[in-house]
Amino acid sequence: MDSYTVLFGVIGDPIRHSKSPVMMNRAFEALGINGSYGAFHVVPEKLGEAIKGIRALGFRGLNVTLPHKVNVMAHLDEIHPGALAAGAVNTIVNEQGRLIGYNTDGIGYVRSLKEEAASNLADSKIVVLGAGGAARGIVWALAQEHPAEIIVANRTEEKARELVATLSAEANLTPIAWSQLQTACQDADVVINTTSIGMAPNVDAVPLDVSWLKPGAVASDLIYNPLKTKFLQQSDERGLVVHGGLGMFIYQGAYAFEYWTGQRAPVEVMVQAVLESFETSFSQ
Ligand code: NAP
């Protein structure tokens, strides 16, 4: 670092688990960019002050994670339409003092899904399990790919209906009850788990019976801890195409990196950095 170093960071509460600093600093290093990325523990009462600090110190960019993704919007100068539709911001770009909010979670997920498992989503039938914060951005981004239908199932059915109502102009969306999942999955091309079912420490939990999915379907999970959930292990055993959550994490960061620097993100280097960091934390 020197007096020209450009500053970046991530804010959240908690934040010490974040792999973003390792991933982003390795990306800056790989491209010879004089940038530095830190992790900042910001409690909800200090969110406004933290954003003022970003302005005052002239940070070029910031990632925002739980629980600030919605509340941070009130402190920004402009919100990108994709972030408005998703109802959350996870990336801020400082354009000469104007703070602009983006959401790269949903588009990061779709980029990962298309590169790793399903190159063309047009006219496909997609089932999304869950209607929480992550599901909203993902459904918006999936809708931009012109699928035939997106079905949203959630344990609390009312939340699935709300999500569909807010995004209904974007695509052919249908909310269903959790009990209708088996029928919905039978002819689905892609089934996506956006719930926390199967996340560590509850690694033996599965969101549905994988025998409901048709042969050749894509089984996708947002969870990346563990890297391969029980849902994906069982889908793999059935010969389905499986897609894990690590790619979403990498590509949400890749988009942020590209918005900040104008350069293509070194994705392979970023994957390597995160995997090494996982090995270190698992062995500690
Ligand atoms: P959230 O807003 O808290 O939503 C959680 C969702 O899971 C809700 O739909 C909830 O249903 C459902 N759920 C939780 N426990 C359930 C259970 N036992 N049975 C049925 N449904 C259950 O969380 P989020 O921010 O959307 O995150 C969801 C998952 O995505 C987490 O595992 C997170 O790690 C992962 N994620 C991954 C990335 C990535 O970069 N790969 C990014 C963001 C999130 P109800 O509405 O009925 O409560």
Side-chain angles (χ1 to χ4, degrees):
M1 286 179 81
D2 60 18
S3 49
Y4 290 91
T5 303
V6 180
L7 294 176
F8 302 87
V10 57
I11 58 169
D13 176 25
I15 199 61
R16 294 295 162 231
H17 63 287
S18 175
K19 304 289 180 203
S20 292
V22 165
M23 175 171 80
M24 293 298 195
N25 285 317
R26 193 76 73 80
F28 291 139
E29 193 186 335
L31 296 193
I33 293 170
N34 186 0
S36 187
Y37 185 109
F40 302 93
H41 185 188
V42 174
V43 294
E45 312 84 84
K46 298 282 183 188
L47 178 62
E49 284 178 48
I51 298 302
K52 278 186 189 154
I54 295 308
R55 290 181 193 274
L57 296 173
F59 273 51
R60 167 66 176 156
L62 197 69
N63 283 133
V64 181
T65 189
L66 298 177
H68 305 311
K69 289 186 183 189
V70 175
N71 291 343
V72 78
M73 295 168 86
H75 301 279
L76 306 180
D77 300 305
E78 194 180 321
I79 311 283
H80 182 263
L84 263 187
V89 160
N90 78 321
T91 298
I92 298 171
V93 182
N94 184 346
E95 295 289 4
Q96 291 167 341
R98 277 184 67 72
L99 299 188
I100 305 170
Y102 294 87
N103 189 311
T104 68
D105 283 331
I107 57 176
Y109 171 79
V110 168
R111 185 160 149 191
S112 158
L113 180 67
K114 288 174 73 178
E115 294 209 1
E116 296 166 31
S119 57
N120 184 8
L121 296 167
D123 300 322
S124 57
K125 178 176 171 184
I126 302 173
V127 173
V128 173
L129 312 185
R136 220 175 129 113
I138 280 171
V139 169
W140 180 84
L142 288 168
Q144 312 311 306
E145 300 294 323
H146 309 294
E149 185 178 18
I150 304 175
I151 292 175
V152 181
N154 195 47
R155 175 180 60 180
T156 313
E157 195 185 340
E158 185 52 32
K159 275 173 67 184
R161 276 201 235 106
E162 277 168 26
L163 187 153
V164 163
T166 47
L167 295 176
S168 61
E170 306 282 342
N172 178 15
L173 300 177
T174 313
I176 60 165
W178 198 253
S179 57
Q180 293 171 284
L181 256 182
Q182 179 171 4
T183 312
C185 286
Q186 272 162 4
D187 59 346
D189 302 297
V190 185
V191 175
I192 306 166
N193 177 38
T194 81
T195 77
S196 42
I197 302 171
M199 188 167 74
N202 301 316
V203 294
D204 286 327
V206 286
L208 49 65
D209 184 338
V210 297
S211 71
W212 297 346
L213 275 66
K214 70 176 185 186
V218 174
S220 174
D221 204 324
L222 263 58
I223 294 170
Y224 63 92
N225 182 17
L227 288 171
K228 196 170 185 182
T229 57
K230 186 65 124 235
F231 167 49
L232 294 190
Q233 286 172 31
Q234 292 181 348
S235 300
D236 205 5
E237 284 160 15
R238 269 206 77 215
L240 306 177
V241 180
V242 298
H243 170 251
L246 182 66
M248 171 178 176
F249 176 70
I250 301 291
Y251 282 115
Q252 62 76 32
Y255 274 116
F257 183 95
E258 289 168 4
Y259 293 169
W260 296 330
T261 67
Q263 298 194 46
R264 189 147 180 97
V267 169
E268 287 307 315
V269 169
M270 293 162 78
V271 171
Q272 201 52 40
V274 174
L275 289 177
E276 282 170 22
S277 166
F278 267 126
E279 280 166 21
T280 316
S281 45
F282 286 154
S283 63
Q284 274 170 357

